[in-house]
Amino acid sequence: MSRSLPDPEGSAPASSRETDPQKIPAAFQIEELRVAFGSRPVLHGISLEIPARQVTGIIGPSGCGKSTFLRTLNRMHEFTPGVRIQGRVRLFGEDIYDPKVDPILLRRRVGMVFQKSNPFPTMSIQENVLVGLRLAGIRNRSLLEERLEEALRMAALWNEVKDRLHAPGTELSGGQQQRLCIARALAVRPEVLLMDEPCSALDPIATAQIESLIRDLREHYSIVLVTHNLQEAGRTADFTAFFLEGKLIEFESTKKLFTNPHQKQTEDYLTGRYG
Amino acid sequence: MKGRHADRFPNEPFRASAALRNASFAPGWILDKGFGIVAVAMGISVFVLAGLLGWELYRGAEKAISRYGMAFLTGSQWDPVAGRFGALPFLYGTFLSSAIALLLAFPLSVATALFLTELAPVWLRRPVLGLIDIMAAVPSVVWGLWAMFEMVPWLRQSAFPFLQKAFHWLPFFQGPIYGVSLLAGALVIAIMITPIITSLAIEILRSVPPTLREAAWALGATRWEVIQVAVLPYGRSALVGAGVLGLGRALGETMAVTMVIGNRPEILLSLFAPGYTLASVLVNEFAEATSEEHLSALFAIGLTLVAVTLIVNFFARLLIHNVPFFFSPRPLPLQPIETKQ
Ligand SMILES: Nc1ncnc2c1ncn2[C@@H]1O[C@H](COP(=O)(O)OP(=O)(O)OP(=O)(O)O)[C@@H](O)[C@H]1O
Ligand SMILES: [Mg+2]
């Protein structure tokens, strides 16, 4: 796969991957992260370093706080009334909950893809991809055109839509819409991509496409992938974190976690003992 | 008959359907059919009622129509004593007051709805929503009383003189100030349709999928940009529809307007001058119309009012379906914020 994305830091070749998360520079450093909705604690002190330019999978039973965790990473909880967040989250060393950090700018650095594809229904494919750039104040036509193609190519959608860029985004199939949403997130060139069960509404073929896309994207992006599907984590993630009831139970390279988990709870979950 | 399904369920052909055939309770299709018949009857009765109404109005208006024809609509004199009947002053007053009312009420309503659904703190929403619903339920005549005793004196003493001073070069704000005026009528209509449009707009904005808002937020949109990118484009045609409903109310609004508009059948450019509307002349003159001619002319006014309402609704519907760029998502707010290149 040859990508045209300029690469400031020089990417690690995908083949020789490090398996110890401690030895890879961290994208997110999370310390003692606690989240409560009202008086109900949901995350009980999560400490975790999410490695840069890797796919980090997050697995765990429904309701264990995976989405809640993910949404702390781009401050999406700001819109939920009654949320309390404690602890520290650093993105490449910078505390993202520091009062000086503008959450708007943060969200441009940390892209997000949701469980259900959500293209803007009144916008064309092109407008959907470019909306983030327009929000960022970019008007330069040639730059917009360049980013449009780049994002759609990275989302493996270019060939399917290049002849109908002005068709409504909602005209696409479910899998295409999800890739459109990925392209929309990529067009602003974020540093990190958060994905909350991006394939759970898709059929196996569309799922396979997006999974292979995720594997390609890790050359340029740090990706955090929440998934319900253990096989998906096994196929896509370099590292996997297992959450249970708001606690991080184990964080390891995917291979180790799946073949030789340290914790009994992880083993129980992997063998199907929790929902 | 049997073959097709028998292949698929070789051992128990038609078991389920046989059970259904023998069921003793009223099977679904009777209810289905019954409901269908009732629905069709209701549908037809709407047309019958509308037809009857139109015919009745037409019969009442026949005399005026045969005497004036289209000139009834273009005649600018209404003088029952002299037996002269032209509806133009009423058409003018109706259109102008409704248009001004909608111009004032629609942006205010949408802004209020946006504020309440997108920006206001949660504790503020409930009481304000309740207030809006109460305002929407206040009877027209009560608004009229309030407008007569509170609003009109205030307009006469403070607001209109101020406007006149500020905009004396505009013909709309010239001439003597009585208080009762076309503008007062428009204002009271605006006040009455604002809670209705607001209430509808709130429902519309609430129906915007939260996933769209999240999508905009996740791209780094500000609150205002979320509204522009995700909320308004999604709700725009429904919002226009809400405006149309408000306009329908405005055109037919009677009591409150009659109490403050001044009821003078003249076409004057000044908004401070008294005016008259189709609905107001009906309510004012019907009881006292003695001559057959006068009565017939009033019927023609009624017919005109119905026609105006229908035509406005028709065009509004066209607008809803064919002007999707009414709130175009295209001109995004393009404030330059530093981005990584
Ligand atoms: N906005 C909210 N208000 C109150 N409680 C919430 C809110 N969002 C999530 N929760 C609660 O937090 C807990 C964790 O939810 P979360 O969505 O993070 O789970 P999850 O691991 O993503 O589950 P799933 O796999 O089903 O998506 C749940 O018990 C949920 O009820
Ligand atoms: Mg979830």
Side-chain angles (χ1 to χ4, degrees):
Chain A
M1 281 271 157
S2 69
R3 300 277 182 220
S4 59
L5 196 75
D7 183 359
E9 289 157 47
S11 70
S15 48
S16 66
R17 290 208 160 257
E18 181 59 60
T19 54
D20 182 356
Q22 305 300 330
K23 289 194 184 143
I24 298 174
F28 283 109
Q29 291 163 295
I30 296 131
E31 288 164 36
E32 278 300 304
L33 178 70
R34 291 167 195 278
V35 178
F37 293 104
S39 59
R40 205 170 127 248
V42 171
L43 294 183
H44 313 270
I46 306 270
S47 295
L48 175 65
E49 294 209 345
I50 291 175
R53 288 160 188 273
Q54 310 282 333
V55 179
T56 302
I58 296 183
I59 59 171
S62 188
C64 70
K66 304 183 295 294
S67 302
T68 305
F69 173 74
L70 201 67
R71 293 161 74 88
T72 58
L73 301 183
N74 63 347
R75 292 182 58 173
M76 280 292 272
H77 286 302
E78 231 122 286
F79 311 104
T80 324
V83 185
R84 278 186 304 140
I85 299 172
Q86 291 169 313
R88 201 195 294 270
V89 179
R90 275 194 282 235
L91 172 61
F92 294 112
E94 183 185 3
D95 183 352
I96 66 170
Y97 282 92
D98 188 293
K100 274 181 288 202
V101 170
D102 182 353
I104 306 288
L105 294 180
L106 171 73
R107 288 187 204 109
R108 289 197 188 127
R109 297 171 62 194
V110 184
M112 191 167 205
V113 175
F114 298 84
Q115 175 167 6
K116 242 184 111 234
S117 64
N118 50 3
F120 295 114
T122 51
M123 294 188 197
S124 67
I125 292 170
Q126 172 175 336
E127 286 169 328
N128 261 292
V129 176
L130 294 180
V131 62
L133 290 170
R134 284 176 184 267
L135 286 174
I138 293 175
R139 288 173 163 208
N140 183 328
R141 265 194 85 86
S142 60
L143 180 65
L144 289 175
E145 267 166 31
E146 183 191 314
R147 291 288 191 90
L148 172 72
E149 182 170 345
E150 174 192 293
L152 283 171
R153 278 193 193 281
M154 292 192 68
L157 193 60
W158 175 250
N159 287 328
E160 286 157 74
V161 301
K162 64 170 185 264
D163 300 323
R164 47 172 174 153
L165 291 169
H166 296 287
T170 44
E171 217 173 67
L172 300 172
S173 75
Q176 287 172 326
Q177 283 189 29
Q178 189 62 298
R179 276 179 283 152
L180 178 63
C181 293
I182 294 175
R184 183 177 63 188
L186 293 180
V188 294
R189 291 198 185 158
E191 294 158 45
V192 184
L193 200 55
L194 310 177
M195 306 178 108
D196 194 349
E197 304 185 35
C199 301
S200 64
L202 301 180
D203 68 66
I205 293 176
T207 300
Q209 278 171 327
I210 291 191
E211 283 178 9
S212 98
L213 175 64
I214 293 170
R215 284 192 296 271
D216 293 338
L217 287 176
R218 77 178 156 198
E219 278 185 38
H220 306 289
Y221 296 97
S222 314
I223 295 175
V224 187
L225 172 73
V226 167
T227 174
H228 251 130
N229 182 328
L230 293 179
Q231 282 87 33
E232 183 165 299
R235 282 191 299 259
T236 341
D238 302 299
F239 297 92
T240 300
F242 171 56
F243 278 44
L244 185 63
E245 290 168 5
K247 295 196 187 80
L248 173 68
I249 303 298
E250 191 163 354
F251 179 52
E252 267 301 342
S253 80
T254 303
K255 205 167 161 203
K256 252 194 220 155
L257 188 107
F258 274 73
T259 51
N260 190 12
H262 290 298
Q263 304 294 327
K264 174 144 188 338
Q265 287 154 310
T266 314
E267 193 179 337
D268 286 350
Y269 180 68
L270 293 175
T271 51
R273 232 168 287 178
Y274 303 102
Chain B
M1 261 325 279
K2 204 177 156 189
R4 230 175 54 218
H5 297 284
D7 296 343
R8 248 190 270 160
F9 307 106
N11 295 326
E12 358 179 3
F14 293 114
R15 192 157 153 197
S17 53
L20 269 183
R21 262 205 301 274
N22 298 336
S24 56
F25 52 83
W29 67 266
I30 288 191
L31 289 177
D32 246 24
K33 252 213 166 106
F35 177 73
I37 290 168
V38 171
V40 168
M42 298 282 212
I44 291 172
S45 70
V46 168
F47 283 103
V48 171
L49 272 175
L52 275 177
L53 177 76
W55 189 66
E56 200 60 39
L57 279 174
Y58 178 78
R59 232 184 33 163
E62 222 171 356
K63 222 182 183 100
I65 291 172
S66 65
R67 176 161 162 209
Y68 296 104
M70 272 330 223
F72 180 75
L73 298 180
T74 53
S76 58
Q77 277 202 338
W78 180 271
D79 188 350
V81 183
R84 248 183 289 212
F85 298 102
L88 198 59
F90 308 113
L91 276 171
Y92 175 78
T94 301
F95 271 118
L96 199 58
S97 60
S98 297
I100 294 173
L102 193 68
L103 229 54
L104 295 173
F106 187 71
L108 181 66
S109 304
V110 174
T112 310
L114 281 172
F115 172 72
L116 283 178
T117 52
E118 310 292 322
L119 304 174
V122 178
W123 57 265
L124 190 65
R125 293 181 191 185
R126 215 169 249 280
V128 178
L129 285 180
L131 198 68
I132 287 169
D133 284 343
I134 291 172
M135 281 175 68
V138 171
S140 174
V141 65
V142 176
W143 281 121
L145 278 176
W146 170 82
M148 224 159 90
F149 291 112
E150 297 292 331
M151 191 182 81
V152 168
W154 176 74
L155 289 177
R156 184 175 53 231
Q157 281 147 24
S158 312
F160 284 180
F162 173 79
L163 274 177
Q164 196 159 48
K165 217 177 264 165
F167 298 106
H168 56 88
W169 39 275
L170 275 175
F172 313 115
F173 298 115
Q174 289 168 359
I177 292 171
Y178 308 102
V180 290
S181 57
L182 195 93
L183 191 52
L187 284 175
V188 77
I189 296 175
I191 292 172
M192 291 181 61
I193 62 176
T194 296
I196 297 167
I197 303 178
T198 306
S199 200
L200 287 167
I202 286 171
E203 287 311 311
I204 291 162
L205 296 181
R206 274 192 185 154
S207 73
V208 175
T211 55
L212 289 183
R213 288 198 178 89
E214 290 192 330
W217 275 325
L219 287 166
T222 61
R223 276 176 189 273
W224 171 238
E225 288 166 345
V226 170
I227 290 171
Q228 282 204 300
V229 169
V231 177
L232 283 184
Y234 184 87
R236 69 193 166 201
S237 51
L239 286 173
V240 173
V244 171
L245 275 175
L247 184 58
R249 277 292 300 258
L251 290 169
E253 186 44 57
T254 312
M255 271 329 290
V257 182
T258 309
M259 290 160 90
V260 299
I261 203 167
N263 300 327
R264 194 196 294 169
E266 268 179 76
I267 299 177
L268 294 168
L269 210 48
S270 173
L271 299 178
F272 295 155
Y276 221 153
T277 68
L278 292 165
S280 300
V281 71
L282 280 179
V283 76
N284 275 336
E285 295 188 3
F286 228 109
E288 288 138 37
T290 40
S291 75
E292 212 176 320
E293 248 195 330
H294 190 187
L295 207 58
S296 175
L298 287 174
F299 266 105
I301 292 276
L303 199 60
T304 311
L305 183 55
V306 170
V308 163
T309 317
L310 285 182
I311 290 169
V312 165
N313 265 294
F314 175 75
F315 278 108
R317 248 154 250 268
L318 274 188
L319 191 78
I320 293 177
H321 294 302
N322 296 332
V323 191
F325 43 83
F326 202 70
F327 281 109
S328 169
R330 231 171 253 260
L332 290 170
L334 299 171
Q335 33 177 283
I337 298 171
E338 59 159 301
T339 40
K340 307 180 304 132
Q341 293 290 314

